[in-house]
Amino acid sequence: DAPSICMVGKGIVYDTGGLSIKVPTTNMAGMKADMGGSAAVLGGFAAAVAYDKSCPPENRLRSPLHALLCIAENAVDERSIRPDDVLTFLSG
């Protein structure tokens, strides 16, 4: 048996920066992009699976392939407001 292959990616889907103490605060809007590692692993995994399904049996992956996505949201509280949230009120 061939050894397993595991692709690992970190994904902080939104880092609110604690109590919005990042200086300058203009850097806060980009914090939602801290999930690039998990996005890259998921994309690579999906491409490998699609390739494996479409190729002849002799060219298929010989090792089991796994994707491990470490995903979290870094927020102070579940009610935390992110700097680019859209807030709606009773008037819509």
Side-chain angles (χ1 to χ4, degrees):
D1 286 345
S4 293
I5 298 171
C6 185
M7 302 163 57
V8 180
K10 177 193 77 132
I12 303 299
V13 294
Y14 205 109
D15 186 354
T16 62
L19 296 171
S20 201
I21 58 174
K22 291 191 182 282
V23 178
T25 56
T26 55
N27 292 340
M28 290 295 294
M31 287 293 105
K32 65 182 172 186
D34 199 16
M35 47 60 103
S38 282
V41 166
L42 184 58
F45 183 78
V49 169
Y51 167 79
D52 200 50
K53 286 183 176 182
S54 67
C55 66
E58 63 271 9
N59 291 340
R60 291 198 174 150
L61 297 172
R62 291 172 176 73
S63 297
L65 181 63
H66 306 276
L68 180 62
L69 307 177
C70 306
I71 300 174
E73 181 179 46
N74 185 15
V76 177
D77 186 86
E78 64 188 29
R79 296 167 293 168
S80 296
I81 297 173
R82 292 145 199 91
D84 58 353
D85 276 353
V86 176
L87 305 177
T88 58
F89 294 90
L90 294 176
S91 63

